[in-house]
Amino acid sequence: MLVGITCSIEDRPDSRGTPTPRLFLTRAYADAVFRAGADPVLLPILPADRAPALLDSVHALVVSGGALDVPPSFYGETVHTACGPTSEERSAFERALVLAAVDRDLPLLGVCGGMQILNVALSGSLHQDLSLRENTQSHQQPHDKAQPHHPVHVSAPSLLHRIIGGKDTLAVNSTHHQVVKEVGRGLAVTAVAADGVVEAVELPGKRFVLGVQWHPESMPTAEQRAIYAALVAAAH
Ligand SMILES: [Mn+2]
């Protein structure tokens, strides 16, 4: 059982000071997939037209997050000064992976920025910064991601509600500066924060298409681990 995980990209000087592009992944994603009973495989950033062929090799997909934002041009907006750094090639590749996975009903978990590209791939949009949305609480916790920052209300019936054992609220971490604005085509919002910020989306009718705005792989609780376990179970 192989679960593909997308990587992020950054330029970092090598030992000679030459700026060197690096593909990387926060280890917690790979550990969470492995703990859930599958073998994680890292997917390097490739041209978008390779996405369908790559998915032939995996049984499920995790679209990871990171410090990069989706280019606003992907949802028809110009870049606001509060938008963060972007990677056209990463987002184009992830958008193609999302569309190919949805097309073939491959189990897909989008995490943080991965939920945002899921929403954008399905023609949704994003607030480029939380400051551009009215009456919004803090979603940037100063403390360790292992600890929660705010609760979310989980609606029922939903995939997420089933996964977490029928609970209506869940404590989540929060390290995002963007949020869903218009919800993508066919997506159902299944968790919201107290300020109405969209915290989870899913695609009814598919086996497992779930996006969460927090990082379940970084939290040690049974409910958060159940999210990765459910992804792997759906891949069987
Ligand atoms: Mn949040």
Side-chain angles (χ1 to χ4, degrees):
M1 183 67 54
L2 297 178
V3 176
I5 311 176
T6 64
C7 290
S8 193
I9 185 168
E10 66 179 2
D11 270 359
R12 232 196 265 169
D14 67 8
S15 58
R16 282 160 299 281
T18 312
T20 305
R22 294 166 196 267
L23 297 164
F24 69 99
L25 178 75
T26 299
R27 180 174 177 171
Y29 293 99
D31 288 350
V33 166
F34 185 68
R35 193 185 299 118
D39 291 321
V41 288
L42 274 53
L43 304 178
I45 296 169
L46 292 177
D49 63 6
R50 297 306 301 152
L54 274 177
L55 291 187
D56 289 343
S57 305
V58 299
H59 304 100
L61 174 68
V62 175
V63 183
S64 64
L68 297 173
D69 291 338
V70 177
S73 62
F74 279 42
Y75 46 94
E77 289 190 11
T78 54
V79 181
H80 190 279
T81 50
C83 187
T86 60
S87 165
E88 287 265 344
E89 59 175 347
R90 178 186 178 183
S91 290
F93 179 55
E94 290 186 334
R95 179 174 61 186
L97 284 171
V98 164
L99 292 174
V102 167
D103 187 53
R104 68 180 65 179
D105 203 7
L106 190 82
L108 183 171
L109 174 64
V111 176
C112 199
M115 171 180 130
Q116 294 170 2
I117 192 70
L118 165 64
N119 186 59
V120 169
L122 297 174
S123 304
S125 65
L126 305 173
H127 290 286
Q128 292 188 39
D129 189 76
L130 285 165
S131 63
L132 303 171
R133 185 186 181 276
E134 291 191 340
N135 303 317
T136 303
Q137 69 192 46
S138 158
H139 286 266
Q140 293 262 33
Q141 67 187 63
H143 50 275
D144 192 298
K145 282 205 295 269
Q147 300 298 322
H149 184 48
H150 64 72
V152 296
H153 179 263
V154 180
S155 52
S158 68
L159 174 64
L160 180 61
H161 193 256
R162 278 201 307 281
I163 289 171
I164 64 169
K167 293 194 170 73
D168 295 323
T169 60
L170 182 65
V172 304
N173 56 26
S174 195
T175 60
H176 56 109
H177 87 105
Q178 295 193 334
V179 285
V180 165
K181 187 157 68 179
E182 292 153 317
V183 179
R185 197 174 350 100
L187 287 172
V189 174
T190 58
V192 291
D195 56 8
V197 156
V198 173
E199 291 277 345
V201 292
E202 42 191 91
L203 202 47
K206 296 294 180 183
R207 281 192 297 159
F208 191 111
V209 175
L210 173 65
V212 293
Q213 187 53 79
W214 65 93
H215 286 277
E217 68 281 349
S218 298
M219 298 181 72
T221 67
E223 289 85 2
Q224 302 296 348
R225 290 188 171 176
I227 294 174
Y228 279 89
L231 174 75
V232 171
H236 275 285

